[in-house]
């Protein structure tokens, strides 16, 4: 869309910085009583009353975290919000506000930023969060996005990474590996496009996994689902870097070990077929792929009957004493130590 | 320092992302009771009890907002925090927590990030704020910093941009134009250095203005000073983009006009002499220079006796009816309309 030279575009230098922010945020409405003052002053003012405030922040950099050649800007706006809300949900909290800052080079016209903000607006509407601040500036190269998400929670409901006990069950929401498989499809199509720009790819067999990559949904619903089941997880984390990395975080903070069962890892059929097509090991993809934004949590064994057979949740393992270490129990019943193979932007 | 090839440096790819964060933040201690959980989980948890939370965020981009050829990384870390705390103080709030995210390219060794974080740590110590989160990732080019500052305030004490009334007095803390003059000195020395790298510049006559640029201090003290004087400003903003731009913001949000008196604008003698040396108009520098991080506020006329002669404050003008417009009253008593000439990163 940015490359379409036939449309009239508006240079960012034609608006002042404050006019730009006003223009981009004019359609955002505030939905939370806790938002006393949103955009338009030195800072936003929020009222959490007797609840605790929960804060998380993430940076997304073009060329590192996203590729605009296949990531539409509206999707990028949406995903940038999801990535952060996911952290709030991983505390078993309710996301209430966000701030969104972007820096872009001069190659982006105003219409591109409008696209980005339309994705942010859609996320705000669906996930019921208020945009309360941000910063808009120029970069010397490419685009970058910084989002801070704010949430609220009753103190007793907050779930940390550190509460898992030996014998607790390890549970994951949804299914894993889809986002990474979607990325492989998009990367392949990009290479095809480079050779033949007129090629029209048929992505329909890959709809699910491509959506997992381009338009992930944070698990806002899990808190409510667990409350209905009368389950309070003992520890929780969101899966942004891959299952193995997140298990290691839970084990590290909770000072426990873990046995993860390979045959329990939930995989969508599209993920299995994509792994066959791309000659990837589906377990490795689930362990190290990342960007699934599902929630990984532990529950007391006594809660097992409440969760058994629930289509939203899969028990994938159990926690052990710290000394037993962190292992994958393979389909052939081999015990393989789990090491961090999560995403590292510096390597 | 980054360019000194004789020292042993540690590549960022040698540490994992989480090890890196752990390493960089290991010396930060939490000072606020309101910080229930800092770094180390999906999100920080804060407790504002019956106070309101105040949130502000800013992006700083290398090549746009700072130049590492004369900005030491420790100073950059310090200044990044100051820029954000200034927004919290401009709400008449107490800054309590910050999150700091950075993205750097591979040219930065670990030691460079340690320098940056030592500046953040110094700011946290002096300004009594807790580092409670952030993100550390790689960039494809240069360095960028995103800081979110969080503060707390009693509802009745919060001062917005929108409360100024006609006849209110316009007051500024400290003096103006220093940061911009300091930038001119540093830019000149950079050009000299390009021609003769062995030249040792004598910056001692410029200590004050260079410090204003490289190590600005946010006005944490103003809230307490005003409380002692029993003054609650009717409106307030921090001066990040220059006096003219901030006055226009106050007038816009408060729906008032303003007369600013040129001969009242507080200028340090070093600023006046630097303006002479660089052939700049000192009034224009104060109006449009920016980065002074002083506070600009309005007070009711009845509070004038309390503030008169106070060395921290200067009355520089008064608000008028909206229809009268926003003007600078020059030394020769000419009325000149004030237009926004603040910093715009896109032009």
């Amino acid at each position: 869309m940015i490359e379409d030279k036939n449309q009239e575009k508006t240079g960012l230098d034609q608006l002042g910085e404050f006019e730009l922010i006003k223009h981009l945020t004019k359609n955002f409405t505030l939905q939370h009583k806790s938002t006393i003052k949103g955009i338009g002053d030195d800072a936003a003012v929020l009222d959490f009353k007797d609840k605790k405030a929960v804060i998380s922040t993430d940076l997304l950099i073009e060329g590192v975290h996203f590729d605009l050649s296949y990531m539409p800007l509206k999707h990028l706006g949406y995903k940038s919000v999801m990535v952060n809300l996911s952290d709030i949900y991983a505390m078993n909290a309710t996301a209430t506000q966000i701030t969104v800052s972007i820096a872009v080079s001069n190659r982006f016209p105003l219409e591109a930023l409008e696209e980005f903000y339309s994705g942010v607006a859609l996320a705000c509407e669906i996930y019921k969060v208020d945009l309360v601040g941000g910063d808009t500036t120029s970069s010397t190269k490419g685009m970058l996005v910084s989002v801070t998400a704010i949430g609220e929670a009753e103190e007793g409901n907050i779930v940390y990474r550190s509460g898992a006990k030996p014998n607790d069950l390890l549970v994951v929401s949804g299914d894993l590996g889809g986002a990474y498989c979607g990325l492989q499809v998009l990367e392949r199509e990009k290479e095809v496009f480079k050779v033949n720009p007129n090629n029209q790819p048929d992505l329909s067999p890959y709809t699910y996994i491509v959506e997992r990559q381009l338009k992930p949904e944070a698990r806002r619903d899990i808190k409510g689902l667990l409350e209905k089941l009368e389950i309070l997880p003992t520890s929780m984390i969101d899966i942004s870097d891959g299952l193995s990395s997140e298990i290691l975080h839970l084990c590290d903070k909770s000072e426990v070990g873990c046995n993860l069962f390979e045959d329990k890892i939930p995989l969508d059929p599209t993920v299995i077929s994509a792994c066959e097509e791309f000659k990837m090991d589906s377990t490795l993809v689930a362990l190290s792929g990342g960007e699934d934004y599902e929630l990984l949590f532990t529950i007391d064994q006594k809660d097992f009957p409440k969760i058994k057979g629930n289509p939203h949740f899969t028990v994938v393992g159990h926690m052990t004493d710290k000394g037993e270490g962190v292992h994958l129990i393979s389909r052939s019943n081999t015990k393989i130590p789990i090491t961090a193979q999560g995403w590292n932007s510096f390597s």
Side-chain angles (χ1 to χ4, degrees), chain A residues 1-3 5 8-15 20 24 61-63 66-69 71-74 76 102-116 136-145:
Chain A
M1 162 167 291
I2 306 165
E3 304 302 330
K5 303 263 162 63
E8 279 289 322
K9 298 294 183 194
T10 316
L12 292 179
D13 49 356
Q14 293 174 37
L15 288 99
L20 178 62
L24 293 171
I61 316 277
E62 182 180 356
F66 58 89
D67 183 335
L68 288 179
S69 59
M71 177 60 113
L73 280 162
K74 185 173 180 179
L76 178 64
I102 57 172
V104 288
S105 65
N106 283 333
R107 78 176 157 103
F108 291 85
L110 175 64
E111 288 72 12
L113 296 198
E114 287 173 344
E115 273 291 299
F116 175 85
T136 306
T137 186
S138 71
S139 75
T140 51
K141 188 188 167 198
M143 181 171 189
L144 62 99
V145 183

Side-chain angles (χ1 to χ4, degrees), chain A residues 185 188-189 205-206 209 270-280:
Chain A
V185 171
R188 183 177 66 184
E189 295 310 323
Y206 308 109
I209 55 178
T270 352
V271 169
I272 295 168
S273 59
C275 283
E276 280 168 7
E277 188 181 339
F278 284 86
K279 301 196 182 355
M280 303 184 296

Side-chain angles (χ1 to χ4, degrees), chain A residues 57-323:
Chain A
T57 191
D58 268 304
L59 270 183
L60 298 171
I61 316 277
E62 182 180 356
V64 180
H65 301 89
F66 58 89
D67 183 335
L68 288 179
S69 59
Y70 49 70
M71 177 60 113
L73 280 162
K74 185 173 180 179
H75 285 63
L76 178 64
Y78 192 87
K79 184 170 177 174
S80 302
V81 179
M82 287 308 115
V83 170
N84 277 272
L85 296 189
S86 184
D87 283 320
I88 301 297
Y89 301 142
M91 303 300 287
N92 202 35
T94 303
T96 45
Q97 289 92 6
I98 54 167
T99 68
V100 175
S101 298
I102 57 172
V104 288
S105 65
N106 283 333
R107 78 176 157 103
F108 291 85
L110 175 64
E111 288 72 12
L113 296 198
E114 287 173 344
E115 273 291 299
F116 175 85
Y117 270 90
S118 72
V120 172
L122 185 64
C124 285
E125 195 189 315
I126 294 176
Y127 285 77
K128 308 282 176 230
V129 294
D130 292 343
L131 179 73
V132 296
D135 197 5
T136 306
T137 186
S138 71
S139 75
T140 51
K141 188 188 167 198
M143 181 171 189
L144 62 99
V145 183
S146 174
V147 178
T148 297
I150 301 142
E152 57 181 36
E154 305 279 352
E155 183 155 26
N157 289 338
I158 296 175
V159 178
Y160 294 96
R161 295 178 178 176
S162 54
K165 302 270 173 302
N167 300 318
D168 279 358
L169 299 176
L170 184 68
V171 186
V172 66
S173 67
D175 53 73
L176 300 178
Y180 186 78
C181 288
L183 185 62
Q184 302 316 307
V185 171
L186 291 165
E187 290 281 357
R188 183 177 66 184
E189 295 310 323
K190 184 182 171 182
E191 294 308 312
V192 172
F193 181 82
K194 276 185 194 163
V195 178
N196 177 10
N198 293 318
N199 183 58
Q200 286 291 329
D202 177 20
L203 291 179
S204 57
Y206 308 109
T207 307
Y208 178 68
I209 55 178
V210 167
E211 281 223 339
R212 292 287 279 178
Q213 171 59 226
L214 293 185
K215 194 169 174 286
E217 304 288 347
R219 297 305 303 255
R220 179 180 183 236
D221 56 335
I222 299 298
K223 183 171 185 282
L225 287 170
L226 290 173
E227 272 169 10
K228 264 192 199 162
L229 297 170
E230 296 182 350
I231 295 175
L232 185 67
T234 53
S235 70
M236 187 151 62
I237 190 169
D238 79 316
I239 303 181
S240 51
D241 295 329
L243 186 58
S244 63
S245 166
E246 316 307 354
I247 288 177
L248 288 168
H249 282 304
L250 287 187
C251 289
D252 176 42
K253 295 283 172 187
S254 297
E255 299 189 30
V256 291
C258 179
N259 285 329
L260 169 72
F261 295 92
E262 185 181 16
D263 61 351
K264 303 290 185 195
I265 297 172
L267 301 169
D268 187 83
T270 352
V271 169
I272 295 168
S273 59
C275 283
E276 280 168 7
E277 188 181 339
F278 284 86
K279 301 196 182 355
M280 303 184 296
D281 181 75
S282 61
T283 302
L284 201 64
V285 165
L287 284 174
S288 309
E291 293 202 277
D292 288 315
Y293 301 108
E294 294 294 340
L295 294 180
L296 178 73
F297 56 94
T298 53
I299 60 170
D300 192 290
Q301 280 215 347
K302 75 166 164 41
D303 288 331
F304 177 62
K306 301 177 190 168
I307 213 164
K308 195 183 162 188
N310 189 308
H312 297 288
F313 303 115
T314 310
V315 177
V316 291
H318 60 83
M319 309 320 262
T320 62
D321 283 329
K322 191 180 177 183

